[in-house]
């Protein structure tokens, strides 16, 4: 047989095998998904969720949707406890807030594999470099995220999950995950092209103003609502304003109406209306 013909057969076989394996994978994923969606949404899960400010306020169709998302989340992601045993409550509460952010998107954090849960805030060491001097600093953090892993302190998460507070570490870390979905962590989530300009203009304008106030450490006025941590960079700004959007929506809407509108359009949720606050 001609050498080029042999090569052609070889690549045809290789291509066919790849398509065959990929088809098998898709079939396997669909069977797995069907099995997960056939699982009952336990009474205990609903009991945990009833104590959050959002679950009972969701319209019936959204409640049904988020329950399905929670089942997919807790059955496809790996939960690892460090210094504690992972409970159903931890899984359901973390999944609930993560899925609330993506309630109207067709996604369940496909890149995310693992959620690590610590009992309390963690101490992390970071090496920083300035003017030829390396400094090793220790920071106390209640959460952290990378492209495929989220770390949560359960002490903070639980405290914030059942009441409307200023902060919500689960919402914060999962906003970073949404930020990662656009390819880089820069405060811009995946957006339609037509929305990009408006998002950058509104969010980054407030980010710059907050930065100025934080640098001078005076004339905080309404920027006090956002706090100095939001001035760290654009990604932290996006995570913090999302926390405020869900946790203190009325205050955010009053003082930052454009920012509120932008987030409302992105998440397709109106917390002020939903919670009737
Ligand atoms: Zn952050």
């Amino acid at each position: 047989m001609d050498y080029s013909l042999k090569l052609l057969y070889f690549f045809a076989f290789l291509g066919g095998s790849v398509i065959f394996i990929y088809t098998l994978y898709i079939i396997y994923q669909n069977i797995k998904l069907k099995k997960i969606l056939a699982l009952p949404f336990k009474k205990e899960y609903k009991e945990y969720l009833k104590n959050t400010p959002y679950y009972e306020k969701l319209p019936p169709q959204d409640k049904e949707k988020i329950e399905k998302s929670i089942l997919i989340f807790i059955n496809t992601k790996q939960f690892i406890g460090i210094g504690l045993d992972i409970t159903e409550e931890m899984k359901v509460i973390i999944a609930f807030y993560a899925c609330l952010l993506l309630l109207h998107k067709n996604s369940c954090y496909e890149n995310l594999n693992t959620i690590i849960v610590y009992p309390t805030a963690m101490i992390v060491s970071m090496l920083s470099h300035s003017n030829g001097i390396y400094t090793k600093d220790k920071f106390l953090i209640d959460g952290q995220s990378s492209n495929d892993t989220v770390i949560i302190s359960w002490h903070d998460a639980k405290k914030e999950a059942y009441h409307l507070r200023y902060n919500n570490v689960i919402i914060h870390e999962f906003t970073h995950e949404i930020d990662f979905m656009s390819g880089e962590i820069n405060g811009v989530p995946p957006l339609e092209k037509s929305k990009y300009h408006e998002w950058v203009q509104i969010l980054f304008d407030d980010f710059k103003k907050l930065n100025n106030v934080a640098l001078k450490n005076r004339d905080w006025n309404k920027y006090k609502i956002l706090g100095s941590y939001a001035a760290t960079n654009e990604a932290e700004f996006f995570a913090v304003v999302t926390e405020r959007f869900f946790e203190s929506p009325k205050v955010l809407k009053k003082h930052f109406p454009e920012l509120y509108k932008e987030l409302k359009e992105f998440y397709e949720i109106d917390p002020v209306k939903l919670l009737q606050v």
Side-chain angles (χ1 to χ4, degrees):
M1 202 189 290
D2 186 285
Y3 177 72
S4 54
L5 199 61
K6 272 185 187 169
L7 209 63
L8 188 72
Y9 279 138
F10 173 72
F11 281 114
F13 174 73
L14 201 68
S17 303
V18 170
I19 293 169
F20 179 68
I21 291 167
Y22 182 69
T23 310
L24 279 184
Y25 173 74
I26 296 292
I27 293 170
Y28 167 74
Q29 288 296 326
N30 282 338
I31 293 171
K32 196 176 155 190
L33 191 65
K34 263 192 176 169
K35 274 188 181 170
I36 291 172
L37 292 176
L39 292 170
F41 196 79
K42 292 185 194 171
K43 218 174 90 198
E44 293 88 330
Y45 295 175
K46 287 180 192 268
E47 290 305 316
Y48 301 134
L49 296 175
K50 274 181 186 168
N51 294 322
T52 67
Y54 277 92
Y55 177 71
E56 290 286 44
K57 300 278 168 97
L58 292 173
Q61 70 274 20
D62 285 349
K63 225 185 214 181
E64 202 183 312
K65 203 171 170 192
I66 207 161
E67 287 176 2
K68 282 184 179 159
S69 302
I70 291 169
L71 282 176
I72 296 171
F73 192 100
I74 62 177
N75 288 289
T76 55
K77 315 290 180 204
Q78 189 188 16
F79 285 78
I80 299 173
I82 308 280
L84 52 69
D85 291 326
I86 295 288
T87 63
E88 282 194 329
E89 181 191 10
M90 291 173 193
K91 286 187 181 182
V92 169
I93 290 298
I94 292 171
F96 173 72
Y97 279 106
C99 297
L100 183 66
L101 299 178
L102 293 182
L103 185 60
H104 299 290
K105 314 269 181 237
N106 198 14
S107 168
C108 188
Y109 302 93
E110 280 71 22
N111 290 336
L112 178 73
N113 299 320
T114 313
I115 296 100
I116 300 174
V117 186
Y118 279 82
T120 54
M122 307 132 262
I123 297 170
V124 291
S125 297
M126 273 184 210
L127 203 61
S128 57
H129 177 238
S130 172
N131 296 329
I133 300 165
Y134 283 93
T135 323
K136 197 175 183 185
D137 295 317
K138 279 190 167 32
F139 297 94
L140 198 64
I141 57 159
D142 51 19
Q144 205 173 39
S145 26
S146 66
N147 196 20
D148 61 357
T149 307
V150 165
I151 304 174
I152 299 277
S153 142
W154 181 242
H155 173 78
D156 298 274
K158 188 176 182 178
K159 197 172 66 184
E160 293 156 0
Y162 295 125
H163 306 278
L164 281 182
R165 300 173 79 104
Y166 209 52
N167 304 313
N168 184 312
V169 62
I170 308 174
I171 288 179
H172 183 105
E173 298 309 328
F174 281 91
T175 306
H176 285 323
E177 289 302 310
I178 294 172
D179 199 344
F180 273 121
M181 287 177 195
S182 64
E184 53 180 326
I185 182 151
N186 57 0
V188 186
L191 289 169
E192 285 167 37
K193 226 175 173 185
S194 58
K195 285 265 167 198
Y196 181 86
H197 183 69
E198 194 181 282
W199 179 276
V200 169
Q201 199 180 13
I202 292 172
L203 265 86
F204 293 180
D205 187 49
D206 273 321
F207 170 69
K208 277 176 206 149
K209 285 177 186 161
L210 171 68
N211 239 298
N212 273 333
V213 172
L215 275 173
K216 290 182 212 149
N217 196 19
R218 60 184 164 86
D219 305 328
W220 279 85
N221 302 321
K222 66 174 185 176
Y223 289 96
K224 219 175 189 173
I225 299 161
L226 307 179
S228 59
Y229 190 69
T232 311
N233 54 43
E234 289 87 344
E236 294 305 339
F237 184 79
F238 173 36
V240 172
V241 294
T242 297
E243 283 183 84
R244 303 296 182 267
F245 176 73
F246 284 99
E247 292 291 306
S248 28
K250 198 177 169 187
V251 183
L252 188 77
K253 190 179 181 181
K254 187 180 171 203
H255 295 282
F256 297 91
E258 283 194 318
L259 187 60
Y260 184 90
K261 184 177 161 276
E262 207 55 33
L263 294 168
K264 186 182 92 178
E265 283 175 9
F266 175 68
Y267 290 113
E268 295 172 66
I269 295 175
D270 186 348
V272 168
K273 208 170 147 192
L274 191 64
L275 300 174
Q276 293 168 323
V277 287

